[in-house]
PDB file of all heavy atoms in Angstrom:
ATOM      1  N   TRP A  16     129.975-161.626 -17.133  1.00 96.00           N
ATOM      2  CA  TRP A  16     130.300-162.448 -15.992  1.00 96.00           C
ATOM      3  C   TRP A  16     131.960-162.555 -15.942  1.00 96.00           C
ATOM      4  O   TRP A  16     132.421-162.340 -14.792  1.00 96.00           O
ATOM      5  CB  TRP A  16     129.806-163.931 -16.270  1.00 96.00           C
ATOM      6  CG  TRP A  16     130.213-164.837 -15.120  1.00 96.00           C
ATOM      7  CD1 TRP A  16     131.302-165.654 -15.025  1.00 96.00           C
ATOM      8  CD2 TRP A  16     129.487-164.870 -13.745  1.00 96.00           C
ATOM      9  NE1 TRP A  16     131.328-166.240 -13.807  1.00 96.00           N
ATOM     10  CE2 TRP A  16     130.272-165.825 -13.036  1.00 96.00           C
ATOM     11  CE3 TRP A  16     128.353-164.342 -13.134  1.00 96.00           C
ATOM     12  CZ2 TRP A  16     129.961-166.252 -11.767  1.00 96.00           C
ATOM     13  CZ3 TRP A  16     128.061-164.669 -11.978  1.00 96.00           C
ATOM     14  CH2 TRP A  16     128.780-165.700 -11.227  1.00 96.00           C
ATOM     15  N   LYS A  17     132.638-162.724 -17.034  1.00 95.00           N
ATOM     16  CA  LYS A  17     133.977-162.805 -16.967  1.00 95.00           C
ATOM     17  C   LYS A  17     134.609-161.540 -16.469  1.00 95.00           C
ATOM     18  O   LYS A  17     135.738-161.536 -15.892  1.00 95.00           O
ATOM     19  CB  LYS A  17     134.520-163.214 -18.324  1.00 95.00           C
ATOM     20  CG  LYS A  17     134.277-164.568 -18.732  1.00 95.00           C
ATOM     21  CD  LYS A  17     134.937-164.841 -20.157  1.00 95.00           C
ATOM     22  CE  LYS A  17     134.702-166.404 -20.474  1.00 95.00           C
ATOM     23  NZ  LYS A  17     135.338-166.577 -21.872  1.00 95.00           N
ATOM     24  N   ALA A  18     133.963-160.441 -16.713  1.00 96.00           N
ATOM     25  CA  ALA A  18     134.494-159.116 -16.214  1.00 96.00           C
ATOM     26  C   ALA A  18     134.279-158.900 -14.789  1.00 96.00           C
ATOM     27  O   ALA A  18     134.699-158.022 -14.129  1.00 96.00           O
ATOM     28  CB  ALA A  18     133.755-157.953 -16.984  1.00 96.00           C
ATOM     29  N   GLY A  19     133.531-159.878 -14.122  1.00 97.00           N
ATOM     30  CA  GLY A  19     133.436-159.858 -12.633  1.00 97.00           C
ATOM     31  C   GLY A  19     132.142-159.380 -12.148  1.00 97.00           C
ATOM     32  O   GLY A  19     132.131-158.858 -10.977  1.00 97.00           O
ATOM     33  N   HIS A  20     130.998-159.336 -12.833  1.00 98.00           N
ATOM     34  CA  HIS A  20     129.794-158.863 -12.330  1.00 98.00           C
ATOM     35  C   HIS A  20     128.654-159.895 -12.497  1.00 98.00           C
ATOM     36  O   HIS A  20     128.629-160.604 -13.560  1.00 98.00           O
ATOM     37  CB  HIS A  20     129.399-157.639 -13.273  1.00 98.00           C
ATOM     38  CG  HIS A  20     130.455-156.742 -13.465  1.00 98.00           C
ATOM     39  ND1 HIS A  20     130.823-155.754 -12.551  1.00 98.00           N
ATOM     40  CD2 HIS A  20     131.423-156.503 -14.487  1.00 98.00           C
ATOM     41  CE1 HIS A  20     131.921-154.965 -12.998  1.00 98.00           C
ATOM     42  NE2 HIS A  20     132.130-155.438 -14.174  1.00 98.00           N
ATOM     43  N   VAL A  21     127.835-159.941 -11.605  1.00 98.00           N
ATOM     44  CA  VAL A  21     126.525-160.715 -11.802  1.00 98.00           C
ATOM     45  C   VAL A  21     125.583-159.999 -12.710  1.00 98.00           C
ATOM     46  O   VAL A  21     125.140-158.912 -12.412  1.00 98.00           O
ATOM     47  CB  VAL A  21     125.861-160.971 -10.405  1.00 98.00           C
ATOM     48  CG1 VAL A  21     124.630-161.829 -10.534  1.00 98.00           C
ATOM     49  CG2 VAL A  21     126.891-161.770  -9.429  1.00 98.00           C
ATOM     50  N   PRO A  22     125.235-160.662 -13.852  1.00 98.00           N
ATOM     51  CA  PRO A  22     124.224-159.953 -14.672  1.00 98.00           C
ATOM     52  C   PRO A  22     122.913-159.884 -14.136  1.00 98.00           C
ATOM     53  O   PRO A  22     122.399-160.741 -13.533  1.00 98.00           O
ATOM     54  CB  PRO A  22     124.266-160.868 -15.932  1.00 98.00           C
ATOM     55  CG  PRO A  22     125.446-161.742 -15.781  1.00 98.00           C
ATOM     56  CD  PRO A  22     125.709-161.980 -14.376  1.00 98.00           C
ATOM     57  N   LEU A  23     122.195-158.765 -14.415  1.00 98.00           N
ATOM     58  CA  LEU A  23     120.839-158.521 -14.146  1.00 98.00           C
ATOM     59  C   LEU A  23     120.103-158.411 -15.576  1.00 98.00           C
ATOM     60  O   LEU A  23     120.260-157.421 -16.207  1.00 98.00           O
ATOM     61  CB  LEU A  23     120.561-157.287 -13.325  1.00 98.00           C
ATOM     62  CG  LEU A  23     119.158-157.133 -12.722  1.00 98.00           C
ATOM     63  CD1 LEU A  23     119.226-156.065 -11.576  1.00 98.00           C
ATOM     64  CD2 LEU A  23     118.105-156.701 -13.820  1.00 98.00           C
ATOM     65  N   ILE A  24     119.506-159.506 -15.829  1.00 98.00           N
ATOM     66  CA  ILE A  24     118.890-159.589 -17.228  1.00 98.00           C
ATOM     67  C   ILE A  24     117.450-158.975 -17.204  1.00 98.00           C
ATOM     68  O   ILE A  24     116.505-159.415 -16.602  1.00 98.00           O
ATOM     69  CB  ILE A  24     118.718-161.007 -17.813  1.00 98.00           C
ATOM     70  CG1 ILE A  24     120.129-161.696 -17.745  1.00 98.00           C
ATOM     71  CG2 ILE A  24     118.149-161.069 -19.113  1.00 98.00           C
ATOM     72  CD1 ILE A  24     120.110-163.251 -18.042  1.00 98.00           C
ATOM     73  N   SER A  25     117.334-157.805 -17.934  1.00 98.00           N
ATOM     74  CA  SER A  25     115.988-157.200 -18.121  1.00 98.00           C
ATOM     75  C   SER A  25     115.414-157.873 -19.448  1.00 98.00           C
ATOM     76  O   SER A  25     115.772-157.468 -20.566  1.00 98.00           O
ATOM     77  CB  SER A  25     116.181-155.712 -18.338  1.00 98.00           C
ATOM     78  OG  SER A  25     116.664-155.138 -17.111  1.00 98.00           O
ATOM     79  N   TRP A  26     114.460-158.883 -19.197  1.00 98.00           N
ATOM     80  CA  TRP A  26     113.972-159.753 -20.184  1.00 98.00           C
ATOM     81  C   TRP A  26     112.719-159.085 -20.784  1.00 98.00           C
ATOM     82  O   TRP A  26     111.618-159.134 -20.092  1.00 98.00           O
ATOM     83  CB  TRP A  26     113.782-161.104 -19.602  1.00 98.00           C
ATOM     84  CG  TRP A  26     113.363-162.231 -20.604  1.00 98.00           C
ATOM     85  CD1 TRP A  26     114.239-163.060 -21.209  1.00 98.00           C
ATOM     86  CD2 TRP A  26     112.135-162.719 -20.945  1.00 98.00           C
ATOM     87  NE1 TRP A  26     113.592-163.992 -21.897  1.00 98.00           N
ATOM     88  CE2 TRP A  26     112.351-163.781 -21.721  1.00 98.00           C
ATOM     89  CE3 TRP A  26     110.788-162.350 -20.599  1.00 98.00           C
ATOM     90  CZ2 TRP A  26     111.218-164.514 -22.261  1.00 98.00           C
ATOM     91  CZ3 TRP A  26     109.750-162.923 -21.185  1.00 98.00           C
ATOM     92  CH2 TRP A  26     109.936-164.070 -21.982  1.00 98.00           C
ATOM     93  N   GLN A  27     112.893-158.517 -21.886  1.00 98.00           N
ATOM     94  CA  GLN A  27     111.715-157.705 -22.511  1.00 98.00           C
ATOM     95  C   GLN A  27     110.887-158.603 -23.521  1.00 98.00           C
ATOM     96  O   GLN A  27     111.488-158.958 -24.551  1.00 98.00           O
ATOM     97  CB  GLN A  27     112.248-156.466 -23.101  1.00 98.00           C
ATOM     98  CG  GLN A  27     113.013-155.552 -22.267  1.00 98.00           C
ATOM     99  CD  GLN A  27     113.579-154.390 -22.974  1.00 98.00           C
ATOM    100  OE1 GLN A  27     113.283-153.168 -22.534  1.00 98.00           O
ATOM    101  NE2 GLN A  27     114.428-154.537 -23.989  1.00 98.00           N
ATOM    102  N   PRO A  28     109.679-158.991 -23.265  1.00 97.00           N
ATOM    103  CA  PRO A  28     108.933-159.787 -24.203  1.00 97.00           C
ATOM    104  C   PRO A  28     108.458-159.179 -25.474  1.00 97.00           C
ATOM    105  O   PRO A  28     107.194-159.065 -25.736  1.00 97.00           O
ATOM    106  CB  PRO A  28     107.776-160.351 -23.376  1.00 97.00           C
ATOM    107  CG  PRO A  28     107.528-159.325 -22.268  1.00 97.00           C
ATOM    108  CD  PRO A  28     108.971-158.747 -22.017  1.00 97.00           C
ATOM    109  N   PHE A  29     109.361-158.593 -26.222  1.00 95.00           N
ATOM    110  CA  PHE A  29     109.122-158.080 -27.582  1.00 95.00           C
ATOM    111  C   PHE A  29     109.291-159.152 -28.601  1.00 95.00           C
ATOM    112  O   PHE A  29     110.187-160.069 -28.533  1.00 95.00           O
ATOM    113  CB  PHE A  29     110.178-156.896 -27.839  1.00 95.00           C
ATOM    114  CG  PHE A  29     109.927-155.605 -27.079  1.00 95.00           C
ATOM    115  CD1 PHE A  29     110.911-155.042 -26.323  1.00 95.00           C
ATOM    116  CD2 PHE A  29     108.726-154.906 -27.253  1.00 95.00           C
ATOM    117  CE1 PHE A  29     110.785-153.932 -25.739  1.00 95.00           C
ATOM    118  CE2 PHE A  29     108.576-153.750 -26.590  1.00 95.00           C
ATOM    119  CZ  PHE A  29     109.521-153.193 -25.855  1.00 95.00           C
ATOM    120  N   GLY A  30     108.585-159.019 -29.624  1.00 85.00           N
ATOM    121  CA  GLY A  30     108.813-159.893 -30.859  1.00 85.00           C
ATOM    122  C   GLY A  30     109.958-159.406 -31.558  1.00 85.00           C
ATOM    123  O   GLY A  30     110.657-158.444 -31.190  1.00 85.00           O
ATOM    124  N   GLN A  31     110.281-160.137 -32.752  1.00 82.00           N
ATOM    125  CA  GLN A  31     111.511-159.830 -33.507  1.00 82.00           C
ATOM    126  C   GLN A  31     111.433-158.477 -33.923  1.00 82.00           C
ATOM    127  O   GLN A  31     112.509-157.771 -34.078  1.00 82.00           O
ATOM    128  CB  GLN A  31     111.532-160.838 -34.638  1.00 82.00           C
ATOM    129  CG  GLN A  31     112.941-160.887 -35.293  1.00 82.00           C
ATOM    130  CD  GLN A  31     113.152-162.202 -36.082  1.00 82.00           C
ATOM    131  OE1 GLN A  31     112.299-163.000 -36.066  1.00 82.00           O
ATOM    132  NE2 GLN A  31     114.289-162.273 -36.817  1.00 82.00           N
ATOM    133  N   GLN A  32     110.312-157.859 -34.329  1.00 82.00           N
ATOM    134  CA  GLN A  32     110.250-156.450 -34.527  1.00 82.00           C
ATOM    135  C   GLN A  32     109.464-155.794 -33.452  1.00 82.00           C
ATOM    136  O   GLN A  32     108.286-155.936 -33.245  1.00 82.00           O
ATOM    137  CB  GLN A  32     109.379-156.260 -35.860  1.00 82.00           C
ATOM    138  CG  GLN A  32     109.988-156.837 -37.155  1.00 82.00           C
ATOM    139  CD  GLN A  32     111.257-156.175 -37.443  1.00 82.00           C
ATOM    140  OE1 GLN A  32     111.456-154.965 -37.379  1.00 82.00           O
ATOM    141  NE2 GLN A  32     112.242-156.971 -37.944  1.00 82.00           N
ATOM    142  N   SER A  33     110.141-155.173 -32.601  1.00 81.00           N
ATOM    143  CA  SER A  33     109.687-154.825 -31.265  1.00 81.00           C
ATOM    144  C   SER A  33     108.443-153.819 -31.385  1.00 81.00           C
ATOM    145  O   SER A  33     107.524-153.932 -30.628  1.00 81.00           O
ATOM    146  CB  SER A  33     110.778-154.084 -30.410  1.00 81.00           C
ATOM    147  OG  SER A  33     111.200-152.914 -31.025  1.00 81.00           O
ATOM    148  N   ASN A  34     108.515-153.001 -32.396  1.00 81.00           N
ATOM    149  CA  ASN A  34     107.344-152.013 -32.490  1.00 81.00           C
ATOM    150  C   ASN A  34     106.074-152.640 -32.994  1.00 81.00           C
ATOM    151  O   ASN A  34     105.090-152.014 -33.126  1.00 81.00           O
ATOM    152  CB  ASN A  34     107.802-150.822 -33.318  1.00 81.00           C
ATOM    153  CG  ASN A  34     108.121-151.188 -34.737  1.00 81.00           C
ATOM    154  OD1 ASN A  34     108.234-152.322 -34.988  1.00 81.00           O
ATOM    155  ND2 ASN A  34     108.371-150.252 -35.625  1.00 81.00           N
ATOM    156  N   GLU A  35     106.128-153.998 -33.364  1.00 86.00           N
ATOM    157  CA  GLU A  35     104.977-154.663 -33.845  1.00 86.00           C
ATOM    158  C   GLU A  35     104.525-155.705 -32.863  1.00 86.00           C
ATOM    159  O   GLU A  35     103.685-156.532 -33.111  1.00 86.00           O
ATOM    160  CB  GLU A  35     105.330-155.425 -35.160  1.00 86.00           C
ATOM    161  CG  GLU A  35     105.664-154.423 -36.335  1.00 86.00           C
ATOM    162  CD  GLU A  35     106.106-155.129 -37.618  1.00 86.00           C
ATOM    163  OE1 GLU A  35     106.066-156.389 -37.665  1.00 86.00           O
ATOM    164  OE2 GLU A  35     106.497-154.488 -38.592  1.00 86.00           O
ATOM    165  N   THR A  36     105.118-155.643 -31.625  1.00 92.00           N
ATOM    166  CA  THR A  36     104.705-156.633 -30.655  1.00 92.00           C
ATOM    167  C   THR A  36     103.162-156.448 -30.255  1.00 92.00           C
ATOM    168  O   THR A  36     102.782-155.265 -30.045  1.00 92.00           O
ATOM    169  CB  THR A  36     105.529-156.312 -29.418  1.00 92.00           C
ATOM    170  OG1 THR A  36     106.891-156.588 -29.728  1.00 92.00           O
ATOM    171  CG2 THR A  36     105.162-157.470 -28.223  1.00 92.00           C
ATOM    172  N   SER A  37     102.489-157.513 -30.064  1.00 91.00           N
ATOM    173  CA  SER A  37     101.077-157.395 -29.756  1.00 91.00           C
ATOM    174  C   SER A  37     100.765-156.785 -28.479  1.00 91.00           C
ATOM    175  O   SER A  37     101.511-156.946 -27.532  1.00 91.00           O
ATOM    176  CB  SER A  37     100.506-158.880 -29.759  1.00 91.00           C
ATOM    177  OG  SER A  37      99.230-158.885 -29.250  1.00 91.00           O
ATOM    178  N   GLU A  38      99.670-155.963 -28.477  1.00 91.00           N
ATOM    179  CA  GLU A  38      99.259-155.365 -27.103  1.00 91.00           C
ATOM    180  C   GLU A  38      98.676-156.481 -26.111  1.00 91.00           C
ATOM    181  O   GLU A  38      98.437-156.068 -24.998  1.00 91.00           O
ATOM    182  CB  GLU A  38      98.239-154.284 -27.362  1.00 91.00           C
ATOM    183  CG  GLU A  38      98.622-153.210 -28.343  1.00 91.00           C
ATOM    184  CD  GLU A  38      99.963-152.603 -27.971  1.00 91.00           C
ATOM    185  OE1 GLU A  38     100.349-152.531 -26.818  1.00 91.00           O
ATOM    186  OE2 GLU A  38     100.546-152.015 -28.912  1.00 91.00           O
ATOM    187  N   THR A  39      98.536-157.608 -26.624  1.00 93.00           N
ATOM    188  CA  THR A  39      98.073-158.759 -25.712  1.00 93.00           C
ATOM    189  C   THR A  39      99.300-159.825 -25.578  1.00 93.00           C
ATOM    190  O   THR A  39      98.911-161.033 -25.360  1.00 93.00           O
ATOM    191  CB  THR A  39      96.765-159.360 -26.131  1.00 93.00           C
ATOM    192  OG1 THR A  39      97.054-159.877 -27.569  1.00 93.00           O
ATOM    193  CG2 THR A  39      95.666-158.384 -26.116  1.00 93.00           C
ATOM    194  N   ILE A  40     100.500-159.408 -25.613  1.00 95.00           N
ATOM    195  CA  ILE A  40     101.564-160.270 -25.712  1.00 95.00           C
ATOM    196  C   ILE A  40     101.548-161.122 -24.324  1.00 95.00           C
ATOM    197  O   ILE A  40     101.788-162.287 -24.266  1.00 95.00           O
ATOM    198  CB  ILE A  40     102.976-159.614 -25.753  1.00 95.00           C
ATOM    199  CG1 ILE A  40     104.082-160.604 -25.759  1.00 95.00           C
ATOM    200  CG2 ILE A  40     103.209-158.451 -24.700  1.00 95.00           C
ATOM    201  CD1 ILE A  40     104.052-161.627 -26.885  1.00 95.00           C
ATOM    202  N   GLU A  41     101.213-160.364 -23.178  1.00 96.00           N
ATOM    203  CA  GLU A  41     101.171-161.042 -21.936  1.00 96.00           C
ATOM    204  C   GLU A  41     100.103-162.283 -21.890  1.00 96.00           C
ATOM    205  O   GLU A  41     100.304-163.259 -21.221  1.00 96.00           O
ATOM    206  CB  GLU A  41     101.001-160.089 -20.745  1.00 96.00           C
ATOM    207  CG  GLU A  41      99.664-159.349 -20.785  1.00 96.00           C
ATOM    208  CD  GLU A  41      99.708-158.045 -21.568  1.00 96.00           C
ATOM    209  OE1 GLU A  41     100.115-158.064 -22.724  1.00 96.00           O
ATOM    210  OE2 GLU A  41      99.510-156.986 -20.949  1.00 96.00           O
TER     211      GLU A  41
END
């Protein structure tokens, strides 16, 4: 933001260990 850009946050619902995220996370 301070650099002059509006952030576009790609919010990925991964767990703390992304490769162990449940297949039913949704």
Side-chain angles (χ1 to χ4, degrees):
W16 180 267
K17 287 182 176 180
H20 314 277
V21 177
L23 191 162
I24 302 172
S25 297
W26 190 88
Q27 304 177 120
F29 285 124
Q31 196 162 353
Q32 299 296 322
S33 61
N34 60 351
E35 298 177 4
T36 301
S37 168
E38 305 305 336
T39 57
I40 184 64
E41 62 270 58

